Amino acid sequence: MEKPEYVRVLYKLSVSQRLAIVERIDRFGASVKDVAKEYQVPVRAIREVYKNKDKYSGRSIHRKTISKTAVRANQQRLEHAMRLSVQLAKDNDIPLTTTWLRSKAHDFAKLFNVLQFKGSSGWYHKFRTQSKIEPADAKKESSINAECGSANTEPECDPRQLLGQYRAKSTFFLVPFGLFYKCTPDAVAGYHRKVCPNGGLADHRLTILCTVNMDGSEKLPLMVIGNEKSPSSLSDIKSLPVLYRCNLCSWLCWTVLRSYIEQLDKIFQKANRKALLVMEDSPAFVNREKNIQLNAIKLLFLQSNSCFGKLQFSFIKRLKQHYRQELLNQSLESMEDDKSFNWKVTVLNAVNILARTWSGEISPAIIRSSFQEAGFSKHQKDLPNSEVHSCSTDGNGIAPELLISDWFDGYCAVDENLVCSGLRGDRAIRDIIKKSQNPSAVPVQPPNPQASLVSKDNLQAALSEIQGVLYSAENVPKDILGHFQTIQQLFDGRQSLETTKS
């Protein structure tokens, strides 16, 4: 009887299967017999795969290696992101320690897929030299902060006692809030429940800072913070009804807030006034008492766990309601003209609507009612509760059918929990870098044509017509009628300047 011929059986395993086998044995501790049974191959085949595991790993890495050009581009994006992050840290007075810089670099390496980044000492010293950074040692920085805190920080006092020391007219509140200014009625779903804790959607957000005293007699101009230094809609605008500032994530950072408070301090000092400036504290305002010196203003930062809780004022809600109604009206007009929602909101549109609403629709009675609802009025001696009346329905200028509409309430509250200050914006920085390196994704808008000056006769006729309308109206503030002469003098000065240049 002849013996059967021996036939060698070939077991074909792909590279991915062999890598999975090596991982099962090394990482999960599976036995060779169990793996062979799972893949239905002999034990000797599994042993041969595990014996040559370095060869298979090398083949896999070789296949997944990206080109040198892509690696170099990702490294440039990482360094660009680090420079922006360092600038953001300087704006918020974050100590640039070695540990902070290296951890931030590793975070950006993951975002930009720089797998070979190690953050070595050579890279660290090169980046520090190129960016002109003088990082502080972590131990020295902590000791310096402890010494400054013990020397310059005043002992904490009850905010109710401090509020009682100032009159309502001299007690000013800084109330920041975030606004999705591009959120038209047809785009509510895209902004719903977006909080942006990492600074995302910076192109769609604005941070508005309202400054007002408790009795509503002084409403300072709004400060609007965007992420562009000179938006296209403001390229040819020389004067604005608000203060416009720029920050990386459209956030209120300590650098912007400090300059604003110092300007207010100079104004109050010239007027020989003393004022209390109250604001809700934020993690972004680190070292706030170490690098600011004020002569006429006393700062009071309320913690979130204070007796007043989180600062929520109804006049902010009223301001958003009027803004959303204006967008709704503009969208309806656009739909009637073009039969579609083609109206796009610009920063200039948002600024004009906010300034007009702040000066005309938010009355002193609404402001006093807001402070009463928040529980601040009872701590002021010259503002008793009996003088404050609720203004929930008087003179709001909003259609009644909108006030009772659930859809309009959701439209106004689309950015209710929007973050307007913070320390980190890694994802926002990544989006900014990707946008700047892809010019085709950003539509280039032509500059606005420079507005030509109207003739003197046309201006005089327009002013006379407006004066006639105001004279025939009731309860017109006297200050408005006195501004016509100022407008005429300003126009005459511009006309003479243009004539001199020509």
Side-chain angles (χ1 to χ4, degrees):
M1 185 175 179
E2 297 181 359
K3 295 182 179 180
E5 185 178 359
Y6 176 76
V7 179
R8 183 181 179 184
V9 181
L10 298 178
Y11 301 97
K12 295 184 179 179
L13 294 173
S14 63
V15 176
S16 59
Q17 289 178 336
R18 297 182 184 188
L19 287 174
I21 291 172
V22 173
E23 185 178 11
R24 288 290 304 273
I25 298 175
D26 285 344
R27 185 175 179 182
F28 300 101
S31 63
V32 176
K33 293 183 179 180
D34 294 339
V35 176
K37 186 177 181 181
E38 179 181 354
Y39 284 89
Q40 297 181 356
V41 294
V43 175
R44 56 182 176 83
I46 300 299
R47 289 175 178 172
E48 184 178 359
V49 169
Y50 187 74
K51 181 179 179 181
N52 300 321
K53 61 180 182 179
D54 296 334
K55 180 178 66 174
Y56 303 132
S57 301
R59 288 180 59 187
S60 177
I61 293 175
H62 180 72
R63 287 187 177 184
K64 292 185 179 181
T65 300
I66 58 178
S67 62
K68 294 183 178 180
T69 304
V71 171
R72 193 178 300 111
N74 289 338
Q75 291 176 351
Q76 292 177 355
R77 295 189 185 100
L78 185 147
E79 293 184 359
H80 189 191
M82 282 296 299
R83 286 192 291 270
L84 291 179
S85 183
V86 166
Q87 182 62 40
L88 185 64
K90 289 180 179 179
D91 291 342
N92 292 281
D93 289 340
I94 299 176
L96 299 177
T97 61
T98 304
T99 305
W100 186 89
L101 287 171
R102 288 186 172 177
S103 63
K104 184 65 67 175
H106 282 288
D107 292 341
F108 282 121
K110 294 179 181 179
L111 287 176
F112 291 105
N113 197 23
V114 184
L115 303 178
Q116 308 299 329
F117 180 79
K118 296 181 179 179
S120 60
S121 301
W123 172 89
Y124 170 73
H125 291 293
K126 181 180 178 181
F127 175 76
R128 185 186 64 180
T129 304
Q130 292 178 351
S131 304
K132 298 180 180 180
I133 301 174
E134 297 180 359
D137 185 70
K139 296 182 180 179
K140 294 182 179 180
E141 185 67 26
S142 60
S143 62
I144 292 174
N145 290 341
E147 293 176 0
C148 294
S150 60
N152 298 336
T153 304
E154 298 181 359
E156 296 183 0
C157 61
D158 190 357
R160 293 170 293 188
Q161 296 179 359
L162 191 57
L163 286 170
Q165 298 175 6
Y166 290 82
R167 300 176 58 188
K169 186 178 181 180
S170 301
T171 304
F172 288 82
F173 277 74
L174 299 177
V175 186
F177 66 93
L179 180 71
F180 282 128
Y181 76 99
K182 289 186 177 181
C183 181
T184 52
D186 60 324
V188 178
Y191 299 95
H192 184 58
R193 293 183 179 180
K194 294 292 181 64
V195 183
C196 303
N198 293 319
L201 296 177
D203 295 335
H204 301 256
R205 294 185 293 106
L206 291 175
T207 297
I208 295 91
L209 181 66
C210 302
T211 307
V212 62
N213 59 354
M214 287 187 62
D215 64 353
S217 59
E218 291 186 66
K219 293 186 298 182
L220 302 185
L222 299 175
M223 184 169 70
V224 179
I225 303 173
N227 72 320
E228 293 181 352
K229 187 174 182 180
S230 57
S232 58
S233 59
L234 304 180
S235 58
D236 297 327
I237 303 299
K238 305 300 181 181
S239 301
L240 284 175
V242 300
L243 300 175
Y244 182 81
R245 297 292 182 266
C246 172
N247 192 27
L248 181 62
C249 300
S250 300
W251 274 347
L252 177 63
C253 65
W254 173 241
T255 302
V256 175
L257 181 61
R258 180 182 58 192
S259 62
Y260 178 72
I261 294 175
E262 289 174 348
Q263 291 178 1
L264 288 182
D265 183 69
K266 292 179 181 178
I267 294 174
F268 287 148
Q269 189 175 5
K270 288 182 180 179
N272 197 17
R273 295 180 58 184
K274 296 292 183 179
L276 176 66
L277 213 58
V278 187
M279 186 177 183
E280 188 174 11
D281 201 1
S282 171
F285 306 149
V286 294
N287 299 332
R288 58 176 185 269
E289 298 177 354
K290 188 177 68 173
N291 53 4
I292 185 171
Q293 295 180 356
L294 304 175
N295 298 319
I297 289 178
K298 172 68 176 179
L299 289 178
L300 174 60
F301 288 91
L302 294 178
Q303 303 293 333
S304 58
N305 58 353
S306 65
C307 56
F308 298 103
K310 184 175 178 59
L311 298 186
Q312 294 181 349
F313 298 103
S314 58
F315 69 85
I316 299 297
K317 181 179 180 181
R318 186 68 55 84
L319 182 61
K320 287 187 177 183
Q321 285 178 346
H322 284 280
Y323 181 82
R324 299 299 181 194
Q325 187 192 21
E326 186 68 23
L327 293 189
L328 180 61
N329 295 336
Q330 294 285 352
S331 299
L332 292 177
E333 292 178 2
S334 176
M335 185 177 63
E336 291 177 357
D337 297 339
D338 303 335
K339 297 182 180 180
S340 61
F341 289 102
N342 293 328
W343 184 63
K344 302 299 181 183
V345 188
T346 63
V347 176
L348 182 60
N349 298 137
V351 162
N352 289 330
I353 296 174
L354 289 169
R356 186 167 59 249
T357 304
W358 178 245
S359 61
E361 302 295 341
I362 308 301
S363 63
I366 293 176
I367 294 174
R368 291 195 298 269
S369 176
S370 300
F371 283 107
Q372 180 189 13
E373 294 172 359
F376 290 96
S377 300
K378 59 185 179 181
H379 302 291
Q380 296 292 323
K381 297 180 181 180
D382 59 335
L383 190 62
N385 296 337
S386 58
E387 296 182 3
V388 182
H389 303 282
S390 178
C391 300
S392 57
T393 58
D394 297 339
N396 50 27
I398 302 176
E401 58 271 14
L402 288 179
L403 291 176
I404 61 176
S405 173
D406 295 336
W407 174 85
F408 188 70
D409 289 341
Y411 182 37
C412 295
V414 68
D415 44 23
E416 183 177 6
N417 298 321
L418 191 60
V419 177
C420 56
S421 63
L423 297 178
R424 297 188 58 186
D426 296 352
R427 296 186 182 275
I429 293 174
R430 181 194 62 181
D431 296 339
I432 291 172
I433 292 174
K434 288 185 177 181
K435 180 179 177 181
S436 62
Q437 294 180 355
N438 187 14
S440 61
V442 184
V444 180
Q445 298 181 357
N448 297 332
Q450 187 174 4
S452 59
L453 294 177
V454 297
S455 63
K456 187 174 182 179
D457 296 336
N458 293 339
L459 177 65
Q460 190 64 39
L463 290 177
S464 300
E465 185 176 355
I466 295 175
Q467 279 181 332
V469 173
L470 292 177
Y471 286 149
S472 61
E474 296 180 357
N475 301 325
V476 177
K478 297 180 180 180
D479 296 339
I480 295 179
L481 298 176
H483 290 324
F484 286 97
Q485 186 178 3
T486 306
I487 296 174
Q488 183 67 41
Q489 292 175 356
L490 178 62
F491 181 80
D492 293 341
R494 291 183 61 189
Q495 283 281 41
S496 60
L497 182 62
E498 291 291 331
T499 305
T500 305
K501 288 182 178 180
S502 60

